Amino acid sequence: QEQLVESGGGSVQAGGSLRLSCVTSGYTYIMGWFRQRPGTEREGVAVIYSTSGILYYADSVKGRFTISQDASQDAGKTTVSLQMNNLKPEDTAIYYCAAARKSFGAGRFDPSKYTDWGQGTQVTVSS
């Protein structure tokens, strides 16, 4: 199991911006960002297929969040970032980076499809 190391997060007022980053080594089929709000299940926010670069977003964040990846071939590391703009109080959650290293069919926002997870980082948006 490869490690995923997250950075970023914090507290911001509504309308503000934050950026999350996640670094991992080795091959990935897909990487994504998930979040978990108190009392709710973990939900997918944005994912990116590592080879094609195709992106998908949850409806709740479309137009506000941007996922991107930067593969450093020399170092064998991949960084996936989540730029979050126009943040809303309902975006408050613990955000997790995730990776799957084998292909799968449907379920790009299904947490059970992902084998590797970051440690989680808190994002708090105040009104």
Side-chain angles (χ1 to χ4, degrees):
Q1 189 172 9
E2 296 286 345
Q3 190 178 17
L4 277 69
V5 180
E6 300 177 22
S7 61
S11 298
V12 67
Q13 289 190 326
S17 299
L18 288 172
R19 186 176 181 88
L20 308 179
S21 292
C22 172
V23 182
T24 190
S25 300
Y27 169 80
T28 57
Y29 168 67
I30 185 173
M31 293 188 70
W33 288 95
F34 291 74
R35 67 186 181 188
Q36 190 163 16
R37 292 173 279 197
T40 69
E41 294 186 352
R42 196 168 296 186
E43 62 177 354
V45 173
V47 300
I48 181 168
Y49 286 86
S50 301
T51 300
S52 67
I54 297 175
L55 321 167
Y56 291 93
Y57 296 95
D59 289 342
S60 58
V61 305
K62 281 181 181 176
R64 300 188 298 121
F65 290 13
T66 302
I67 188 171
S68 60
Q69 71 174 8
D70 175 25
S72 174
Q73 297 298 325
D74 292 339
K77 294 186 182 293
T78 300
T79 299
V80 173
S81 299
L82 186 68
Q83 177 67 40
M84 304 183 292
N85 298 328
N86 190 22
L87 282 160
K88 303 177 181 181
E90 52 264 42
D91 294 319
T92 295
I94 299 175
Y95 283 71
Y96 298 89
C97 177
R101 303 187 188 269
K102 293 183 179 180
S103 63
F104 58 82
R108 65 178 70 94
F109 284 133
D110 180 356
S112 69
K113 302 291 187 180
Y114 295 76
T115 55
D116 299 342
W117 291 86
Q119 74 275 18
T121 185
Q122 178 70 46
V123 171
T124 303
V125 185
S126 58
S127 58

